[in-house]
């Protein structure tokens, strides 16, 4: 088995051109799950935006949150979205909800056997997967059942 959940050959994720999500990617490199948090109403939000989803403030910051979540939904992927994934299917993509961060939801891969039982409502935890080689080193937030 590869040291990575998904095979090599995929494009490295990078921050958007506007840099809005750069703190998220920098946090992952430091093994921290960082999400936006409004400095006015103190609510978390995901994905990154220029305005608070709750109070419309423009005063947004970033905050580390616990990498503990609840499995909200999942999909078993059979058709590769990139040629490098041709031999990696099936794999599991999950939507997780973070109760410690205003129930924001994030998407990621569920580690382990793609044929495992995936109980909705199960507790999951973040796993930081480092990809230090290449032109743009990066870290991914993956999820595993607790």
């Amino acid at each position: 088995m590869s040291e990575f959940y998904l095979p090599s050959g995929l494009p490295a994720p990078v921050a958007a051109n506007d840099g809005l999500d750069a703190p998220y990617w920098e946090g992952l490199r430091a093994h921290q799950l960082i999400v936006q948090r409004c400095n006015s109403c103190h609510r978390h939000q995901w994905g990154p935006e220029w305005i608070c989803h709750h109070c419309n403030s423009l005063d947004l910051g970033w905050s580390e949150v616990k990498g503990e979540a609840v499995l909200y939904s999942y999909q078993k992927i059979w058709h590769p979205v990139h040629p490098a994934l041709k031999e990696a299917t099936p794999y599991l993509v999950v939507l997780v909800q973070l109760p410690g961060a205003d129930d924001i939801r994030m998407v990621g891969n569920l580690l382990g056997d793609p044929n495992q039982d995936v109980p909705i409502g199960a507790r999951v935890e973040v796993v930081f997967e480092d990809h230090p080689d290449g032109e743009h080193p990066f870290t991914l937030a993956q999820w595993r059942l607790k």
Side-chain angles (χ1 to χ4, degrees):
M1 182 174 172
S2 167
E3 67 180 293
F4 304 120
Y5 180 65
L6 297 177
S8 61
L10 293 169
V14 295
N17 289 338
D18 61 11
L20 181 60
D21 61 347
Y24 169 74
W25 293 107
E26 293 164 7
L28 291 182
R29 294 280 297 148
H31 289 199
Q32 298 174 321
L33 192 57
I34 306 287
V35 299
Q36 271 189 323
R37 186 168 185 228
C38 179
N39 292 322
S40 295
C41 73
H42 307 290
R43 302 271 313 262
H44 296 91
Q45 66 182 28
W46 188 256
E49 296 286 347
W50 294 105
I51 190 168
C52 176
H53 298 174
H54 307 283
C55 73
N56 296 326
S57 171
L58 299 175
D59 186 16
L60 292 165
W62 291 83
S63 172
E64 182 178 6
V65 296
K66 285 186 174 182
E68 299 174 355
V70 174
L71 200 142
Y72 187 83
S73 183
Y74 77 97
Q75 177 142 16
K76 187 181 291 190
I77 306 300
W78 290 94
H79 300 285
V81 296
H82 187 278
L85 295 171
K86 185 176 182 181
E87 301 301 321
T89 57
Y91 58 93
L92 297 170
V93 174
V94 293
L95 180 64
V96 300
Q97 185 168 308
L98 284 76
D102 298 307
D103 290 324
I104 60 172
R105 295 181 188 146
M106 302 180 95
V107 175
N109 297 308
L110 184 66
L111 301 179
D113 183 347
N115 295 311
Q116 68 185 303
D117 184 34
V118 184
I120 301 299
R123 297 178 52 82
V124 294
E125 62 187 353
V126 73
V127 175
F128 297 101
E129 183 180 282
D130 295 315
H131 294 257
D133 301 326
E135 185 178 341
H136 301 285
F138 62 94
T139 299
L140 295 175
Q142 309 280 29
W143 299 91
R144 75 172 159 219
L145 292 170
K146 286 183 86 170

